[in-house]
Amino acid sequence: MAHQQESVEFAPAKRMDKIRYAIRDILFEAKRVEDQGIALTKLNIGDPAAVGGFKAPAHIIEAVRKAWADHKYAYSPAAGILEAREAVAADYAKHGVKVDPDHVIVTAGLSEAIRFLLTATINPGEQVLLPRPTYPLYVTMLNELGGEASHYDLDESQDWALDQASIEQAAGPNARMLVMISPNNPTGRVFSKDDLQKVIDFCRKRRLLLVMDEVYNRLAYDIEGPVMSVTDLDFEGVPLITMNGLSKNWLLPGSRVGWMVFHNTHLQKGVLDAIIRLANARLSGPTPHQYAVKAALEGPQDHLIQLRKDLELRAQAVADGIAKVPFASVVKPAAAFYAMPRLDLSHPSLGGRYSSDTQVVVEWLRRTGVVTVPGSGFGQTLGTHHFRVVTLAPPEVLREAMASLAVLAS
Ligand SMILES: Cc1ncc(COP(=O)(O)O)c(C=O)c1O
């Protein structure tokens, strides 16, 4: 017999109201545009395996293939296989930094490391200092946890260098952690020794946990090897966690392997213990893929030579395309695969038609199929407007896509 009851949709939890991720949210609009028969040029997700034809080095793939073939697909220890943790520790030793493999946790991508980190340290109402603009996952997860993001500034007029004074202004009495992303997503900035030192000194003075997200640290166009880190400076007295993974430097985003490294562990024993408990509760990271870590860190790094060249060409192509748009400008990135062009909404060629970067990005998408992410998804200085573009597509595609923004000018 058919049920007479009125059908009622089952609702998600209240906390989901605050969960947004601009980088993927734009795809809802993109789908509508595609359904109308307009081909998309997707420049919104930083996935080098999906865009631009970049391939991970064969020796890393072989390490993973062998792990599957050797039936190494049991749960791993929650903190990760010893071989991977030892390889991470050995990589730090190469750069003169002593790390205990027991102070390395292998995670399912840095995304899981960020979740562990914030879950284990931030109570509701407590503050995390993040750059502005920032990679948005930190903010999304803080929203989920009831923590508060407070932003220090990157100064666009100084090629997105750290605005040192803004750190003091951002830190309220409840500040507990400062996150630095170097090289930075979305600006492509590599931070200077002076900026790194400032951050160390500030965290020491205010007793903050310092977190370095270094997922792009081999991708500075004119630097061979990793960019300078706080671990190259004197960080005594500062609880420090550094994070990296296979997604970007080694072109394996779908492997979902990242790691977090605890330094000055005597200053954060409870945090390490809490994160191990979180790792235990989810049983294991992806085991066979963890066999890529030693291969990635200890094998040939030749792929980086061509990759850096390719990325620099693409950054230049974005700058060339933007130069053709009367109401846009861009700081050319120095690393990674993003740029954050600025929009001048008061430019006469726009005739006052737009009051937000979201409106520009959506209208541009509807007219041309070019998919970028509004700057508001990353945080930006009040009164400024931007969009973020992923610089992985071939240079000619990027040049043309950026120049196509001029269709909005009259
Ligand atoms: C700055 C930064 N951190 C962390 C991540 C997450 O990387 P994954 O989870 O693939 O390791 C990304 C991904 O784009 C990123 O840009």
Side-chain angles (χ1 to χ4, degrees), residues 109-111 114 135 181 185 213 215-216 247-248 256 338:
L110 249 83
S111 304
I114 294 168
Y135 174 61
I181 306 169
N185 173 8
D213 179 333
V215 76
Y216 301 99
S247 291
K248 316 290 181 174
R256 310 312 299 132
Y338 309 96

Side-chain angles (χ1 to χ4, degrees), residues 144 193 323 328:
E144 199 177 315
K193 180 175 178 187

